[in-house]
Amino acid sequence: MKREEAKLHEKWDMSLIFETEEKYEAEVESYKSRVDDFVNKYKDKLDSKEKIENSLRDLIKLAEMSSIMGAYAGLQTEVDAFDEKAQERLANLRNVFAEYDSKLSFYENELLTVDNAVLETVKENEDFKVFVEDLLDRKAHTLESEVEKALSKLSNVLSFPYKLYNDTKFRDINFPDVEVNGKKYPLSYNIFEGEMEYENDTDLRREAFRVFSETIRKYQHTTASTYNAQVQKEKTMVELRNYKDVFDYNLSYQKVSRDLYDRQMDIIMEELSPHMRRYANVLKAVHGLDEIRYSDLKIEVDPNYSPSVSYEDAKKYVLDGLSALGEDYLAIIKEAFDNRWIDYANNDGKSTGAFCSSPYGVPSYVCMTFNNKMSDVMTLAHELGHAGHFQLTHMNQNILNSDPSMYFVESPSTTNELLVENYLLDLAEKNNDKRMKRWVLSQMVAKTYYHNFVTHLLEAWYQREVYKLVEDNKQLNANILNKIFKETLEKFWGSDVVLDEGAELTWMRQPHYYMGLYSYTYSAGLTIGTQVSQNIRKNGKESADKWIEVLKMGGTRKPVELAKAAGVDVSTDEPLKNTIAFIGSLIKEIEEISIELGEM
């Protein structure tokens, strides 16, 4: 349906940020004025501890304004790519940010000329500690002021590859209907990824995959050129800013070592692969398939067990499952449901997948498509995990201290998924319902772990291979990218899964490649989330309270320290290996119940 046809309660309420367009426009003008005042007040005048601290207090206000304006303008384009007014609003704001970021570019450069002893005294103030530490870490990579100013002016242009990717994906691609046995079915990105991949009818599912793949293949060269522009830009930034390589450049922002990055992929590829191949063969046996194909991997173990899940049922599951985190946390989640923080309409032109945006000091906004499936319940729990996390962080930290490392950021979301799934598992155990228990276990494998430990792991492995080529000064094209992704799939699935024609194009579907080394952090976050959820399941309120305190810390500690505060030591490979073994135990139990039910 068109965006305007969606019901009001299915759409988020942007007036919670700005009541009217006029108030938004007034805020933009106020921002411009404040930036000009900031420049006049502090440029060439950062000559004392007091002046620097005052400047940081003013910077906090500018960052808050930027956060909420960016969300207001950007989020509206995510739910309707055909909204020309929203596109124009965002383009205009990007131009404002490019111009005024350029004006502000003097600030960090001048701070870096201040004597380190003075900066160390500023760092003693907890409100400014993270900012100053990060600033000092970047000192060796900061360029001359005129160069930084030029880069700031070019920020809109430098972000163009991601915009072009989205325009190609959501505005240019038109899918034909899928026809099976004389009946036609509509197809779009959202319909394919939200419905057709899970379709129980094998003929329809496989034909939808074929039609979808044939359609996106027509855009593979444009998409490859777009991605090549992105990675070549990153390679240029590496050279300009004197980083060792693209990995060092991207990981520096995450505050983790190359060892943690490589370990996450290497161990999963080696140790999880056998378990997932076993799971693929369970699907093959239970469904009586002649072969298990790549296009079959997202079907349910028992699609006929669970009836369609309404949004109200999903809300109840989420609230009941997250009650383990206490009333204060639950109050945030209830507000999200009651005050339209969640956009779950299924309309044309809406972004695929799901995300949560948390501008500072206002509600968090969840974007997803609700298709009445149990997997959507887990998506809700996941994205509300981000919302709960950042609401707690923003209540307890200023904006300079609020953002944790990307390495940690998926931990709260995946913890929520597992808490809801544990709640459902307890219901099955209580009722001695084997079929329900298998269904819950399969949801854990097929939704939570498949998505975070398989889908994103394969993305991350592929991305690492791409960056290796970039480091060797290679240019990329569609043939190269198809080859890398196909080899990645073959390495993980071996001969157990038949790769459909078009499986190699999966790289075209993911936006994560325009966000640095993001993909691998899903499995890193879920590693932490698995251990935290198990601690809460075992110890109850004690572990839940500890977790809530960690969520309040925001970015005031490095990711390894945050995990350790939650009782998880990711400086070793033990949590990761334990999580992989846990996934294996879930699959083994699914297999055993299936045999007991006479389906294998």
Side-chain angles (χ1 to χ4, degrees), residues 379-391:
T379 300
L380 259 178
H382 180 105
E383 300 306 337
L384 288 170
H386 290 305
H389 178 200
F390 280 101
Q391 290 299 312

Side-chain angles (χ1 to χ4, degrees), residues 482-595:
N482 289 342
K483 181 175 181 290
I484 295 173
F485 208 92
K486 185 176 182 180
E487 289 173 350
T488 301
L489 293 175
E490 289 172 341
K491 185 174 180 64
F492 189 83
W493 293 111
S495 60
D496 292 82
V497 174
V498 176
L499 299 182
D500 309 70
E501 186 71 24
E504 73 281 1
L505 299 170
T506 304
W507 64 269
M508 293 179 63
R509 296 161 53 183
Q510 301 299 342
H512 298 115
Y513 309 129
Y514 300 83
M515 305 171 188
L517 296 175
Y518 188 10
S519 297
Y520 91 100
T521 64
Y522 281 88
S523 61
L526 184 50
T527 298
I528 298 169
T530 298
Q531 306 307 309
V532 169
S533 66
Q534 289 179 349
N535 290 342
I536 293 173
R537 189 170 173 81
K538 179 181 178 182
N539 304 317
K541 188 175 185 300
E542 178 186 349
S543 291
D545 289 347
K546 182 187 289 188
W547 182 234
I548 294 297
E549 291 306 309
V550 170
L551 298 183
K552 292 177 182 178
M553 293 177 185
T556 58
R557 298 195 195 180
K558 293 180 179 177
V560 174
E561 295 168 347
L562 284 172
K564 191 167 284 188
V568 185
D569 185 4
V570 295
S571 67
T572 74
D573 61 11
E574 184 179 0
L576 177 56
K577 285 178 174 285
N578 286 345
T579 299
I580 292 171
F582 177 66
I583 298 171
S585 72
L586 298 177
I587 293 169
K588 184 173 183 241
E589 201 165 0
I590 292 169
E591 187 177 50
E592 289 172 349
I593 295 174
S594 298
I595 292 171

Side-chain angles (χ1 to χ4, degrees), residues 138 141 151 158 230-256 258 467 471 515-517:
R138 293 196 302 274
H141 308 290
L151 288 173
L158 293 174
Q230 171 69 22
V231 295
Q232 299 303 334
K233 175 193 78 175
E234 291 179 37
K235 181 71 163 68
T236 301
M237 296 304 294
V238 166
E239 293 168 355
L240 281 175
R241 295 194 178 281
N242 195 33
Y243 283 92
K244 177 184 174 184
D245 54 30
V246 180
F247 301 102
D248 184 36
Y249 170 69
N250 281 307
L251 290 172
S252 66
Y253 295 96
Q254 297 182 14
K255 302 179 183 178
V256 297
R258 177 71 185 269
Y467 277 138
E471 281 301 311
M515 305 171 188
L517 296 175

